[in-house]
Every structure is written in structure tokens, then in C-alpha cells.
Amino acid sequence: MNQTRTPSVPLRGPSRPAERAPAPDLARGMMLLLIVLANTPIYLWTTTHSSSSNHPMNEGTLDSVVSAVLIVVADLRVYPMFAFLFGYGIVQIYLRQQAAGVSEADARALLRRRNLLLIAFGAVHALLLWYGDIIGAYGLVGLILVALFLRRSDRTLLTWAGIGTGLLALLAVLAAVGAFFAAGSDGGQSSASPATESAFMMAPIAEEDPLMAAVLRIAYWPMIVIGQGVLGVAVPVAILLAFWAARRRILEEPWNHLPLLRRTAVIGIAVGWLGPLPNALHHLGLLAVPEGVAWVFWPVQLATGLVGGIGYVALFGLIGARLRGRRLGPAGSAVAALGKRSMTGYIGQSVLCAPVLSAWGLGLGAALGSATMALFAVGVWLATLVFAVLLERAGKRGPTEVALRRLAYRRSTASPADGGPATR
């Protein structure tokens, strides 16, 4: 007997410009500045880096001050913020498909393809340019959390986010206790010197052979994906909180959530900046901590970085509320244009940094210090900003966003404008 199969509703295409809230795009655009500032110190490949940060030791006063500021403001604060915005976008995509009548199975399949593609994009990014790629880590965590938590209750989301936050706090406490006893037993000496740790960490950048550097990058990359993405806990927690927040449209309608956003911004940024302050003082030589136990700052940096990253998101939510009914000025429009093309901007940073700074390229990282590297990083961000503005004026998306959408929305999609088949 023949059965009539109900045709599935085509996937709903990407959002229209008028549908985009300014807060997430502004946050992504400014976040990219913090990302390049946080990542580029590792390109200082001829120096010995501290065991408590990615910053060189024993530099001059100006260089040390720049490093200390980045330890407080950027280090391990940015990627939880990016993870939150990534998780928020997952729910936006899912809800947009549901509103268009797309089946649950098709909407989940779209998210699954998208996360798998992010893992693939991250692997290519690592192989060619930057082993510290975080795109693949977000794709992996997104793949897991969509399967486990997308349809779970708000209470479940907050419970597991609380468990993860508690684990990070416990890890920081245990690390502090362990460091105390280690310092007392061996004077803070460690089996691995900072020079040895730096050599391992920077091997893909200090390698002069381009082919061997690529091999090292792709070999190191899974450690970043698993370690920072999953085992670090901060990324899954940030994404779970984003699932909860996106259901309430907190960043699309921030004016309805001002008390929550104010509390989160004040508390989050305060904790996010006070937490790494001892590490910054140690880097400046103002707090005497044996280098052998300085690793204790890492778990503290990680735990408070999660809180600080969420505080940054809340701050941009408040900015979005202030912008209600107003047009963005030239600066705000430029930052938002970059935020709309955040993956292009992120990979663009590697295109501008890796071949210029690495030993297998021009090797400029050997000639810079922390202060001049920060200036270089700002210049890279400005270059990606200009590129994004040119694309915005031309009405074009970023090239990586175009590639991701074409591969993820491989079925015919409904146009966001008229509900008909999309032409691109």
C-alpha cells in the first residue's frame, strides 16, 4: 500500500540584518581584540615564559606592565565569553528553525552538522596556522551539549552549570593547598623549569621547517580541543548558561533584564579582575611566589575567568539596552560588522600573525617584546575591522561564514525574507 510522506519543511535560512540584536555582535567584535591580545604573546618564541601565564619573564618595566594588564583583563577570560556567545547562537538557530516549522529531527541535524563542521574547520586552522585554535573545541562541546542538554529543563541547565562552577572553584582551592605544601617541602622547586615548559609550549612556533611546524600544530591541537574545551569545564558551563539565557532572550531584549545584567556585570567583572591580580603582581615581581609553585595561578585564573567572561557578556547586554531605538555610530557599526563575521575575524588574525611572527615564516616574533607585540595585535584587530567594514558596505558575509552556512544548510532553505527557497 502506498503511503503519502509528509514533506519536511525546508530549513530556515540565516537571520536578516534587522533581526540581529546589537549586543552579541558588539561583544564578538570587541572580544576579538581581547583574543588577539591574549594569543599573540606566545609568538614571542625566543623568550622564556612564566609557568603561571603565557607571558615572557624578566622583561623591562613597560613590557611587564603590559603583560600584567593582559593577565587581569584578557587571559582565560575571553574564551568563556566566546563560548557563551557560541552557546547563545546555538539556541537562536534552534528556535528560529522551530518557529519556521522545521521538524525537531531536522533542526538537530542542522546543529549536528554545524558542530561537526566547526571541528573540521578547527583542524584545518590548526594544521595551516594556529595550534591554539578554539573553534574545534567549541564544535566538540557543542556536539555533546546539544545532544545532552538542548531540550532539558532550565533547572537542569542551572544545576549542571552550578556543578561545573563548583568543580572549578574546588580545583582552585586544592591547587592552592597543594602549592602551599609543595613550597614548604621543596622550597618551590619543580622538576620542569620554565625554560623547558616554554620550549614545549612554543615548539610549533619556534620550528623553522614549515612542514614540521604543521605536523607539530596538528599534533598539539587535540590537547587544546580536549583540555581547554572539555576538561577545562569553563566552556561547557558557559554554554549551559547561554542555553538558559537564550531561552529568555536576555541579549535580544536586555531592557527586560536590567537588574540581572547589572548584578552579573558588576560581580562578574570584579571577580574576573581581582582573581588574577596576585598572578599579575607576581609577574611584576611585587608578590614573591616560588616559580616552582606559580602554576597555582592557572586554576584560579580559569575559575575566575569563567565569572569574568560572563560579566563581560552582561556588560555588552547593558550596552545593548542603552542602544535601544538608537543607531550605532561609526565605531559601533564597525565593531558590530566584525562581530557578524567573528569566525572570519578570528581566522584572519592567524593569517596576519602566524606567517609574520613564527620562526617558519618571517620570524618577527623574535624581535618584539610584550609591549610592541600588543601594538602589533591591535594593528591586526584593526585590519580585520577594516575588512569587515568593507564586506558590510558590500552587503557580503565573511568568507568562512559563507562556507559554514553553505555546508551546514545543505538542503534547500527557506529565505528569511519571503519563506521561499534561498538562492545563496
Side-chain angles (χ1 to χ4, degrees):
M1 182 175 65
N2 293 330
Q3 293 182 343
T4 302
R5 183 178 181 272
T6 303
S8 59
V9 176
L11 293 173
R12 201 260 201 206
S15 59
R16 293 170 293 185
E19 294 175 317
R20 301 184 70 99
D25 288 333
L26 289 170
R28 292 185 185 100
M30 288 304 301
M31 169 203 64
L32 287 168
L33 173 59
L34 295 179
I35 283 179
V36 70
L37 286 168
N39 284 343
T40 46
I42 202 170
Y43 283 105
L44 298 168
W45 49 273
T46 60
T47 61
T48 297
H49 288 219
S50 170
S51 60
S52 63
S53 70
N54 285 331
H55 298 277
M57 302 169 59
N58 304 319
E59 290 189 298
T61 300
L62 178 60
D63 289 322
S64 296
V65 169
V66 169
S67 294
V69 171
L70 292 179
I71 288 170
V72 171
V73 175
D75 288 3
L76 297 184
R77 271 107 194 90
V78 188
Y79 81 90
M81 176 185 176
F82 205 173
F84 183 97
L85 295 170
F86 170 72
Y88 201 97
I90 286 176
V91 175
Q92 286 181 308
I93 293 171
Y94 178 72
L95 294 178
R96 187 162 61 239
Q97 299 303 323
Q98 281 201 320
V102 174
S103 70
E104 170 80 9
D106 285 347
R108 282 180 169 272
L110 168 62
L111 294 174
R112 185 164 54 250
R113 283 196 303 274
R114 188 172 183 269
N115 286 319
L116 288 170
L117 285 166
L118 289 175
I119 296 173
F121 277 43
V124 174
H125 183 207
L127 176 65
L128 298 180
L129 294 168
W130 173 236
Y131 72 96
D133 164 83
I134 197 65
I135 296 173
Y138 292 154
L140 177 61
V141 178
L143 197 66
I144 296 169
L145 295 187
V146 165
L148 295 178
F149 289 101
L150 186 62
R151 292 296 303 272
R152 303 295 292 274
S153 68
D154 290 345
R155 182 176 180 179
T156 299
L157 295 179
L158 294 179
T159 297
W160 280 98
I163 291 172
T165 303
L167 286 174
L168 286 175
L170 179 62
L171 178 62
V173 172
L174 292 177
V177 173
F180 174 79
F181 284 107
S185 63
D186 63 5
Q189 301 301 313
S190 66
S191 58
S193 68
T196 302
E197 294 170 353
S198 292
F200 175 79
M201 179 177 61
M202 293 186 293
I205 293 171
E207 174 59 52
E208 295 183 359
D209 181 358
L211 181 59
M212 181 55 66
V215 171
L216 290 173
R217 284 195 300 271
I218 200 63
Y220 278 39
W221 177 70
M223 294 187 289
I224 303 294
V225 171
I226 301 297
Q228 188 163 284
V230 180
L231 300 181
V233 181
V235 167
V237 170
I239 292 175
L240 289 176
L241 291 174
F243 283 3
W244 177 86
R247 292 175 180 178
R248 283 156 180 76
R249 298 178 58 83
I250 288 178
L251 295 182
E252 291 102 320
E253 301 170 356
W255 47 86
N256 293 330
H257 308 277
L258 291 177
L260 173 63
L261 290 171
R262 290 190 185 110
R263 287 194 302 269
T264 303
V266 171
I267 296 173
I269 294 175
V271 172
W273 286 4
L274 291 175
L277 189 58
N279 190 7
L281 294 175
H282 165 68
H283 192 82
L284 289 170
L286 301 177
L287 180 64
V289 177
E291 190 60 35
V293 296
W295 52 264
V296 69
F297 292 123
W298 275 108
V300 175
Q301 194 94 1
L302 182 62
T304 58
L306 169 64
V307 182
I310 303 301
Y312 285 166
V313 173
L315 175 62
F316 280 98
L318 293 172
I319 293 173
R322 288 289 297 254
L323 292 173
R324 184 184 185 186
R326 304 180 185 178
R327 294 178 62 87
L328 291 175
S333 297
V335 173
L338 181 57
K340 295 175 186 177
R341 301 159 179 85
S342 57
M343 189 159 70
T344 292
Y346 176 65
I347 295 177
Q349 292 178 0
S350 298
V351 172
L352 295 173
C353 288
V356 175
L357 301 173
S358 302
W360 55 266
L362 298 180
L364 185 60
L368 300 178
S370 291
T372 49
M373 182 62 80
L375 289 175
F376 181 88
V378 172
V380 167
W381 180 76
L382 288 174
T384 60
L385 192 76
V386 170
F387 183 59
V389 170
L390 293 176
L391 290 176
E392 181 76 9
R393 291 179 178 176
K396 297 180 179 179
R397 301 182 185 274
T400 59
E401 284 78 14
V402 170
L404 179 63
R405 283 179 169 92
R406 285 181 177 175
L407 293 169
Y409 294 84
R410 58 190 183 188
R411 296 175 51 194
S412 61
T413 60
S415 166
D418 58 19
T423 59
R424 59 174 183 164

